[in-house]
Amino acid sequence: MNIVVNEELKAYIEPLTPDEHDALERSILTEGCRDALVLWGDVLVDGHNRYGICQKHGLPFQTVQNPRFQSMEDVHLWMIDQHLGRRSVSDFQRGVLALRKREIMAERKARSATATDTAEATPTADVPEAAAALPAPDPLNSREAIAKAARLSSSQVVMIEKIQKQAAPELVAAVKSGTISINAAAAVATLPAEEQVAAAVAGKDELKQAAKRVRELNKRKPREEAPSDDKAHAETAAGAEGNTDELHALRQRVAELTAENTELRRQVAQLQAALPSDSTPF
């Protein structure tokens, strides 16, 4: 039998760790290859590790065809669903797979909408229906749906999205290996890339310390921002108080000038009264 190993499919799902691969190899050497390899035509879809181990030791194996695949996209979705159901897959990897499935479903939906618009504008023709197509996967159109598919909480999905978008490759590798938790990795991912790399290279303890520093900083920020608000209010109050003082000073000055003017008028009146009635001004 000619079996084709597609490297893209082989790498599509996170590979086994060395320890996991060794455990699988011991199991096959003891009990044989119990699960059949899944093929699409002559392309190997599921069972790359089992196939490699059987080839290495010259052990027999069974194969089964899945004729319902219509495209490589169908293959990817099937692979994702298979691994989402396996207990050996880590929480982080299940989240990554569920998010990947959402992307595929979104792209498929967009193409379907475009195809529908095109079909409505094009005269129809008799086209035979595709036989035995795979049923449509459940749409993952909400964070809650993604979390349910990955058997995670919605907050874990948010953190995994943050890690995918912001984490340096070294930090992602640390999460995959279990060196750092999803929660801690999401915190470290907010640091500049060079700091992430330095913490990942330094090891588990430094990663924990980096996550701790980020959390403490985030706790302090609200307390630091509050005084700034108080300061703004104080400055506003001070400004208002300053305006009030200035207005009071102006009113006091007006009162003084009015009093002076009144006094001058009184003095002029006295002078006029002291002059003889027939006197002529100079």
Side-chain angles (χ1 to χ4, degrees), residues 257-271:
L257 292 173
T258 302
E260 290 178 5
N261 188 42
T262 302
E263 177 62 20
L264 289 172
R265 286 178 180 275
R266 186 186 65 80
Q267 292 177 7
V268 169
Q270 287 179 344
L271 289 172

Side-chain angles (χ1 to χ4, degrees), residues 30-177:
T30 303
E31 304 175 14
C33 188
R34 294 177 298 176
D35 299 324
L37 311 183
V38 178
L39 303 177
W40 178 30
D42 57 359
V43 176
L44 180 59
V45 172
D46 185 60
H48 291 88
N49 294 296
R50 283 171 280 144
Y51 177 66
I53 292 169
C54 289
Q55 289 288 93
K56 176 182 176 181
H57 297 284
L59 299 175
F61 55 85
Q62 300 294 319
T63 63
V64 61
Q65 285 285 337
N66 191 329
R68 303 171 74 184
F69 295 141
Q70 300 295 315
S71 66
M72 186 62 75
E73 196 174 71
D74 286 341
V75 173
H76 288 163
L77 288 170
W78 183 88
M79 292 175 72
I80 289 172
D81 286 340
Q82 292 297 305
H83 283 77
L84 283 175
R86 291 177 179 172
R87 293 183 178 179
S88 59
V89 179
S90 69
D91 289 349
F92 178 75
Q93 186 59 23
R94 285 202 308 276
V96 170
L97 291 172
L99 290 169
R100 190 179 295 171
K101 180 177 180 179
R102 179 189 64 179
E103 293 174 1
I104 295 174
M105 296 302 298
E107 291 172 0
R108 176 173 283 189
K109 182 178 180 180
R111 288 199 308 272
S112 177
T114 302
T116 300
D117 292 341
T118 303
E120 290 176 352
T122 306
T124 58
D126 293 332
V127 179
E129 295 182 359
L134 284 173
D138 294 332
L140 302 181
N141 50 14
S142 69
R143 187 166 285 125
E144 289 72 20
I146 296 170
K148 183 178 179 180
R151 305 197 306 279
L152 300 171
S153 66
S154 295
S155 61
Q156 285 177 306
V157 172
V158 172
M159 288 186 284
I160 291 172
E161 284 183 295
K162 180 183 289 185
I163 293 168
Q164 282 192 300
K165 293 176 181 177
Q166 299 177 228
E170 292 81 358
L171 179 58
V172 174
V175 185
K176 289 180 178 178
S177 66

Side-chain angles (χ1 to χ4, degrees), residues 213-233:
R213 288 194 297 271
V214 171
R215 289 171 182 146
E216 289 177 349
L217 180 62
N218 289 337
K219 287 179 181 178
R220 285 199 302 267
K221 278 183 178 179
R223 292 199 297 268
E224 291 173 352
E225 289 171 0
S228 64
D229 292 338
D230 293 341
K231 183 179 179 182
H233 291 309

